[in-house]
Structures are given as structure tokens and as C-alpha cells.
């Protein structure tokens, strides 16, 4: 209850409170990325109609993720890494999941979602982890007095911490990944042209050398290791590194989902029905009969 | 620009507008399900601390989905359908996806998400579609003058519309699904006790009879067909029917994801690596050399 | 049990059966897309090391989805549609979901998955549906004797079927979408150059004309309607149309997820906590006390 | 090339190889959980038709996850924790995502998938992390000479490791969570009855005491902290703890998705359209005109 005069005095306060709450709400989704008004869309400040037809898709990916347009030479190097990562066969879990999902009645968005979701630390993370390793080595170079020594220091530190797997090196399948030498030659060319400074190519090679020492066979840089070189050279953060790998692999995921649609199939399991699975649990047994009303539901 | 006196006159308007926007925002997420205040939580009006320990989990599922608590007999019948649906083996796509996801570094929430996502129209929809069929038949009973005739009318209508698959009947694997007779006997018992009226059990049996006519073997009601009977008897909508099937199957999905964690494995594909896939595409060919700057990115 | 001589006679049979099962398994994941052997990867027949650095990312998307490399002019038109679709603001459900997911501890793969998943019939489907409409009109042109008449026939058919929404036209927000005239001008230029034949641009304009007749304001083609023109002109199927839209929008989803990571926040809800929701359900009530052991769980 | 006699000699080898590959395939999906044959389904050895109608849904969850049936008293305590966790309002990110997904055309499986996916370390992990904390303290009790001392040792260790947040304690919203005292009283009753030994209830209370020391207000155990007590008392692993939380919260997710379906709405954003967002990026600018053919795509 309030005296007659109170209402007038309180109103400006209430109005201010409502305005403050509204302002907070408007700021809740604040962004540097996109500005939209009726009839207007701008990405990072650029009107969309100026970007369309003038700027490529890869340039736009860079603009959206980094805030500024890349140079053509940066785009070319970035693009080579994207092309290298689009697919690794129908039996990679992400791809197999997309294909199985399609036969369960899921449209492409759902098939892509279930598939992309599994590009986590193990299936989608080695590139990101390799970038983190390179950046850790790079931060050590000055104090260690060179790339070789910094690499030894950091690898030693990782071994002491119990890490036995160096992300980005070795492959269960390819003795030498055909993508690695090709991409490395593009990095070298870009370094020669001054597009990048070649620091991370040197670090990647130093890691390969260090972990191959004393081994009967070289442990070669794989596609994660070499794309990590490229993304580091181009200034991407490790989290963005995983992100752009996912953008690239989404292409393969989509292609396989659509091919499966064309092939047909309903509720496609991982193996043909003629090949069953092995049950390894308890032998057949009876539900214990108890004099207990709770367990019996009828 | 405004004259000095204007501001005072406009303020109540602005205040009213801000209040209206805030009210709209508060109503944006309005719900009948849960009411929360500091120190207070109520589900459908019941204080949470009264539900905990007094009301079972299955009763709470019903309360959340339907708005009121079920009777114990309703709970028992509902529960039998949930128990029947928890799992159908490691090679069902949903389960295989959960297991593969786990080996990609995804935690249980992610493994469950990728798996549940594929319980779509084909892998998770037949129960819902069967409920829709039963309800369509039920709506026809009075005019057709009986269940048998209504069933014939509706099945005929579906055939004319080009539908060749009757959801809830037949099975690729089980000649007779062991869950069906057991669940049907529980429905019959519930009907005898007046818990349900048995209308949909009669409809389900009429469908089985009608589609088996003239066939060498009976096309038996499967687990989707019989749980559809139960959910219809208990008054669930078809959309809720798919929902509660998912709640049940989530149990199997979780169990398999956790078993796979225990078994280990990294990036588990659908088949062991020793068994490859067949490539059926174009033979090896070279990228066309063009005198074109756009295609070459370096 | 078998006589001594039986085993020898049976072995070839068993061997044949095992080989047949293995062959079936190898064919289970057959694909035209990618061929992998140790040290070798080929996409649609092209060795990956020849694609990297010679063929752009957009060309590779086309190659993976369509089987052959596009011409540079096809790439350019396709690319313009991709650029146009990367983002539509932080409050689009897909984007908001990616941002909220990030604050729940989900890495970028999971944030992208939850977000892409909702690009379903309503949020991601209008482009696909618009392509289906255009193709239906196109199939009618010859018999109807022209685009205008075919458009009228098909729209009439849709109205009779109860469809009241024409996908690809009108916008809740933009009176005129700035992307539409720009993209249409690129289609017209491509048609003038003989890259595409302009058939679907004509159909799109005919639809806009037909549905605007008798309306006070024109119902303009929106970004879904104009990208549908482009994808139809370039020979994409409707399912692929949804797929490439998702590839494009994934860029915005990733950009917003990463921006949210930078902004921080834990368990970000849809609105700031200061703005609550409205509870509209039953008033506070007590759990009924029953003389029933089942309901009480302790 | 082989001599005529070779083939006969090689066949047994090939047959053995094929059989070995098939055996590996059959073992690839081996499981202790479920055994299926035509007409037969057994969960953990129990025929499904014996479980249906005799064993409750919560008992079946336990059986599937743990391998054996629980006692009725174990079920009751487990069930109380499940009931406590079903929902925490429409503005929790998981629930809001399910509701938004529904308005994008996603069916319940997809809405549940996008929502469950975000129950990750921050939104779904505190219960699991709290279980890990309790187990770490429990492992220290003997050496430390008591619960209080073990608690101090472990909390000190966590502080030294830079952890500043104790999962399971404190709440941004509830001064005292109404679920906590109710669930604790059920644990105490179960301990008094010998169902559990009460060790983790003591640990949970010791943590609350230790972190509240010297604070003006007690930092109370929240629902994650008390359900962690229950799951530890009942012998669940931390990973299973997150899993059963997800099973419980899935009920709320489904209820809200279905309520949103009933309310309608198309492409529901996080806030009503009348409340925009704030753009904080670069001011409007033009795409740089370059004398460069690569950037221009048309």
C-alpha cells in the first residue's frame, strides 16, 4: 500500500529498472560478428551484398572466424588444408554414423549432427592438440636457444607428465600419408614468398626428428601434424583449428550421408545381419521370485 | 530534439513500453510444468520434497508428461512397456553409434545424444506410427459398426494411399517376439481389472488378423505394436509414445556406452580394420590441367 | 556328428560360406566417393595430393557431392550462394544453441552438432522445399505451355492440398532481403554467359509474381528462394540443397561458438537471470497420501 | 602364379583366414548386456518376458548398468535421486534448447539429442565431479585417520592444484535447495536400516563443513552434492553418475519439448523478437577493391 503521492515518485525508478533489465537483455547476445537490421546484413562490418560475388567462401570462413579478410596467399594456404581434410573413408566412425543415421529416417541435418558430434578429443582433437604442442614449443624457443632444444625440452616435459602419445605423428594405416609432403611443400613455398614465416614448419620437422630418433622406422608427420603446422603459421588458435577441421570433414560427412540415401537401406547396422555379435555375459537365469510387492509391478 | 517539457510527458509511455517488453520476455518461456523460486521447486504444483521418496520415478515421468499422477495400476502397465523397450542389441544403429562415439572421446552425454538422435521415423517411429493407426481405426469404429470393419476400412485407405508397410507388425528377426504375448497378457489383465478398457488391444489384434489373412504365416504384432496398444490404452499421444520409447531405449544406450568405455578402444569403426570396404567409384585419374588461375590455389 | 570322411567334403563349403560372408561385409560399406590404401587416398578417382593446392575447397565440395569437378564459372555461382548463407544473427535458434552449448562445457564439435541438428524442416528446410517447388513447376512447363501457366497450376495444386506457406518467399524481418537482388544479378550474368540456362530464375520470378498478385505489397523472394534458384540451375538435388546450406551455416555456427568461448559465461540461459519466466500450471498442492505401498519408495 | 597342386594346399589356409576374420568380426561387438536369438531376448541373462511385469523400470535401469538386480531398498534410494533430478526450469540451457529445437521442425528424438548433448562437464558434470571428490576423500580416510582430516587433506590438494570451485556445493539461485535435506534424510534412513553404510553422507557433510568454515553463510550441499552421496553409497561409478543424471533430466527435456509442441511457435529464438541484440563489432565498411582475380568469384 502506498500514499497517493508515492506512485509519482516511484515511477521513474520503475521505469529505470525496466529499462536496465531490457538493456541487459539486449546485451545478453552481443556479438562482433554480424549486424542485422531490416533490409541490412553486415558481416564484420562488410555489407553482405558486397561480399557476395566478390569474396570467396574460404575468405568468408576466415573473415567470420578471424574478423578480417585474408590475403589471397593466406586463403590459398588455408584452402589447401581444408581440401586435405574432407574425408577419410566410410568406416571412420563419424562417416559410418552419418550413413547409419540416414537409414534410420534422419534428414541430412540430423545425420551431420550425430556424426560431427563424435569429432571429439580422440577422433577430432589430435590436430588441436598438435597445435597446442607446437605453440608450447614455440613459446620455449627463445629461452631454450633454438627450435631443436625447445622441442627436446617440451617433449621431455610431456613424457614426465605421463603423455605417451604425440598428437599429429604416426598413422595406424598409412606408412607415409600422401597429404603430408604435398602440404609441407605448400608451406615451404608460402614461407619462401613471405606469406608465413615458416617457424611452425621447422617445429613440426623438429618434432618428427626427435620422436623418430633411435626408432627403426621414422614416425612421420600425419595429416593432423601438417595441418596443425599450417593453422599455426596462419595464426589460428587451437580451438579454431578443431573448428575448421570439422568444417572440412563436414563435406565428407554430407557426401556419404547423401550417397547412403541413394543406396537405400533401412536401419543399417554396423555389419551385415549375417554376421552376428558375441554375447559374453551371464548364462540364462530366472528372475528371483520374492515375496515382495515392490518388485512385481502387476 | 524535444522541448523541455516533453521528457516528462514521454516518460510514462517509455516506462510502459519497457514494462510491456519485459512482460513479453517473461511470458516467452511460460510453462505449466515447473515453478521455481529461491528455496522452492514444484512439479505440476507438487513441492519436489514431497515427491522425493513418496512417488516413484515412473509416476514422476507420467506426472511430468501428463500433468497428473497416475494410479498404481496405470503405473504398473506403463512400467511394463518401458522395461520391454530398453535394448535390442549392440548392432542396432543407435546402440552401435553410442559405442563408437565413446571411443572417439565423447562423454556419455554426447554418446547418448548422437545415439538418441537417430531414433527417428524409421528407427524410433514405428511405435508412434502404429499409435496413429490405432487411433485412426478407433475414430472409425462407431461409423463402421465395429472394430473389425473399421480396421478393414482404414487398412484399405492406407493401401490406396500407397502405404505398404503396417508399422508395429512383423519383424525381420523374431518369428514371434517374446515381449508381445507377455505384454498383451498384462493389458488383458489390466482390462479385466477395469484399469483400461481394452479397446486398443482389440484393435491391435484386429490389425494382426486382417494383415495375416491369406498369408502362409501370421504377421505377428511386434514390440512396437504391443507397446502402442499400451500407450493408447493409457491415453498417451503418439508424440509422447515416441518420447517414452526414447526414455526407455536411453537406458540401453547408456549401458552400452559405459560397457564400451570399460572395454576401451580408440576410434572404433563399424567393422574390425581387417575387413575393408569396397570402392566402387571411378578409376584413378589426374586432375585436369587448365590454364585457369581460379582453380589453382597456389 | 559326422563320419571321418565328412569333414574333408564339408570344408570347401564352409570356406565358401566364410568367404561369402566376408565379401558381404566388405560390400556393406561400399562407396563411390573415396578409395584408400596404405599411402594412397583418392577422391572420386583423383589422388588427394593432386587435388591439394590445385583445386579449391568449393570445387572439392562440388566434387565430393556431385562426382565431377565443376567449371570455374559453376564454382563462382555456387560460391556466391554459400557466402550468402553463413549467418543470420546470434538469436537464430541454431546460433543461440551453439553459444549456449559452449557455456555448458561442450567443445566446438558438440556445439556445432547440437546447433546443426535443429536445421530441420522449418529452420533449415525452406530452401530444400523451395527447390522441390521449382522442380515441380519445371516438370509442368511443357504440358502447361509456359512457365507462367505451370506456376499457376502448381501453386493452385498446393493450395488445394492445404499448403498455405510458399517456401522461399516473404520474410518476417527484412522487407527486402539485401542478398536477393545481388544473387539474382549473378544468376542473370551466369545465364547470359551460358553457364546456366536461366530456367529456374524465370520460375522463381514467376512464383514471386503469382503470389504477389492482388497483395498490397510484393511478397519478395528471400534468401532461401534465391539460393534455391542457384542450386536448381546448377543441378543440385533438393536434399543436397539442404546439405550445402548446412555447410554454409556451419561457418556462422562455429564463429559464434568460438566468440562465446572468448566472452566466457557458465550455463548461459536464453535470457539473463534477472528476467524470469512465467509459471502457468496448477497452484501448489500436496502429494495425495494413499494407503498404498507401491507409491512410497521408502 | 601357382602350380596346379598349390590350390588344394592353400585352400585350408584361406578358409582358416576367412573364418578368423569372421570370428574377429563377431567379437567386434561383444557384450555382457544382452543376448538375442530369434524368438529370444535376455538382459544380463534374464529372459525379457520374465522381467516384464515382474521387475520395475528403475530395477531394470540398475540391472542394465550394474549387471545384477538391486534389492527393493536399493531401488527406493536410487529412485529418490532420479525423481529429484528430472527438471530445473525452462531457462536451463538444456531445456531451452529442447524447446527451441522443437519449433525448428525437429521431432522429439532430435530435440532430446540436441538438449542432452549439452549436459557436459559444466551443465551435467558437477555430480560426476563431486562423486570423484568423495571417492578421493574416501580413499584417504584410513591414512588420514578419519573423514574430517581426509577431507581437509583432499580439499587442500585441490586448492594447491588451482581448483577454486567445489562441485556439488553452493547454488546461484537457491539459498537452501529443498531437495537436499529430503534426500539426506532418506540416505540417513537407509544407513540406519543397513541398506548403505553412510560413509559418503559423512564425507559430504564434512565437505560442507570444511568449505563453510570462516564464511558468513554456510555453503550448502546442492542437489548434485547430495545425489553424488547417494550414487556413491550405492556403488555407482562417477561416469554412471553422470549417465543416470541424464536419464532423469531426459524426462524434463521430453516434457518441455512436448509442451512447446502444444504451445506452437516457429523458429523460436531465445528472446522475443521485440528484444534485439547488441552489435559490438566494426562499423560499416566496404570490401577492399583489389586488382586480384582470385578474390572475385564472378
Amino acid at each position: 500500500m502506498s500514499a497517493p503521492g508515492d506512485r509519482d515518485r516511484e515511477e521513474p525508478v520503475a521505469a529505470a529498472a525496466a529499462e536496465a533489465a531490457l538493456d541487459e537483455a539486449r546485451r545478453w547476445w552481443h556479438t562482433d560478428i554480424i549486424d542485422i537490421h531490416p533490409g541490412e546484413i553486415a558481416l564484420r562490418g562488410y555489407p553482405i551484398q558486397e561480399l557476395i560475388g566478390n569474396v570467396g567462401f574460404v575468405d568468408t570462413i576466415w573473415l567470420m572466424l578471424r574478423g578480417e579478410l585474408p590475403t589471397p596467399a593466406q586463403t590459398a594456404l588455408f584452402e589447401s588444408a581444408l581440401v586435405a581434410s574432407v574425408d577419410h573413408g566410410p568406416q571412420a566412425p563419424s562417416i559410418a554414423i552419418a550413413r547409419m543415421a540416414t537409414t534410420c529416417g534422419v534428414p541430412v541435418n540430423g545425420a551431420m549432427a550425430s556424426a560431427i558430434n563424435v569429432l571429439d578429443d580422440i577422433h577430432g582433437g589430435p590436430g588441436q592438440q598438435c597445435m597446442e604442442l607446437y605453440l608450447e614449443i614455440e613459446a620455449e624457443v627463445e629461452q631454450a636457444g633454438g627450435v631443436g632444444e625447445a622441442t627436446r625440452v617440451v617433449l621431455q616435459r610431456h613424457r614426465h607428465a605421463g603423455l605417451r602419445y604425440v598428437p599429429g605423428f604416426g598413422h595406424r594405416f598409412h606408412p607415409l600419408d600422401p597429404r603430408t609432403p604435398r602440404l609441407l611443400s605448400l608451406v615451404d613455398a608460402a614461407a619462401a614468398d613471405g606469406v608465413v614465416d615458416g617457424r611452425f614448419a621447422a617445429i613440426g620437422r623438429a618434432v618428427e626428428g626427435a620422436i623418430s630418433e633411435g626408432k627403426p622406422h621414422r614416425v612421420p608427420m600425419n595429416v593432423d601434424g601438417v595441418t596443425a603446422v599450417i593453422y599455426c603459421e596462419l595464426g589460428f588458435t587451437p580451438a579454431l583449428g578443431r573448428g575448421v577441421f570439422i568444417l572440412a570433414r563436414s563435406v565428407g560427412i554430407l557426401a556419404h550421408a547423401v550417397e547412403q540415401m541413394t543406396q537405400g537401406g533401412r536401419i543399417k547396422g554396423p555389419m551385415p545381419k549375417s554376421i552376428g555379435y558375441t554375447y559374453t555375459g551371464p548364462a540364462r537365469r530366472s528372475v528371483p521370485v520374492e515375496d515382495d510387492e515392490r518388485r512385481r509391478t502387476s
Side-chain angles (χ1 to χ4, degrees), chain A residues 47-279:
Chain A
I48 189 83
Q49 66 275 19
E50 287 196 33
L51 293 168
I52 296 170
N54 289 320
V55 163
F57 183 51
V58 176
D59 306 88
T60 305
I61 295 173
W62 182 298
L63 173 68
M64 290 289 286
L65 299 179
R66 309 284 298 272
E68 297 298 332
L69 284 164
T71 66
Q74 288 172 321
T75 300
L77 187 59
F78 178 35
E79 188 154 28
S80 68
L82 293 176
V83 169
S85 305
V86 291
D87 195 11
H88 205 257
Q91 294 180 339
S94 50
I95 303 288
I97 286 171
R99 298 189 74 124
M100 288 160 68
T102 296
T103 70
C104 296
V106 177
V108 288
N109 53 299
M112 293 175 75
S114 276
I116 287 170
N117 205 29
V118 306
L119 298 173
D120 211 293
D121 284 356
I122 296 176
H123 192 27
Q128 176 177 7
Q129 294 148 17
C130 185
M131 289 175 76
E132 285 158 2
L133 172 68
Y134 292 164
L135 289 165
E136 188 180 342
I137 293 171
E138 203 258 344
E140 207 73 38
V141 167
E142 198 174 353
Q143 202 183 327
V147 165
E149 190 50 31
T151 300
R152 267 184 295 277
V153 166
V154 170
L155 288 176
Q156 183 79 0
R157 189 187 298 156
H158 282 217
R159 267 191 298 270
H160 282 171
L163 302 174
R164 279 171 6 200
Y165 165 77
V166 180
F169 294 84
H171 204 284
R172 305 192 292 180
F173 189 81
H174 297 298
L176 177 62
D177 191 313
R179 296 166 290 190
T180 302
R182 177 67 179 138
L183 287 170
L184 268 182
S185 76
L186 294 174
V187 179
D188 291 343
D193 289 351
V195 177
V196 297
D197 66 15
R199 204 179 339 172
F200 293 95
I203 289 174
R205 284 175 167 124
V207 173
E208 182 179 301
I211 63 177
S212 299
E213 258 170 40
K215 299 265 168 62
H217 300 288
R218 211 160 172 79
V219 182
M221 196 184 291
N222 61 31
V223 72
D224 294 318
V226 67
T227 52
V229 165
I230 292 176
Y231 297 142
C232 283
E233 291 282 358
L234 293 172
F236 284 82
T237 62
L240 279 178
R242 189 190 299 199
V244 295
F245 164 70
I246 294 170
L247 289 183
R249 186 54 53 93
S250 298
V251 176
I253 288 169
L254 172 60
H256 282 277
V258 172
E259 188 184 60
Q260 185 64 56
M261 265 183 215
T262 315
Q263 288 178 10
R266 280 175 71 88
I267 312 189
K268 183 189 185 91
M271 295 197 292
K273 284 213 170 300
S274 61
I275 305 179
Y277 66 93
T278 305
Y279 173 66

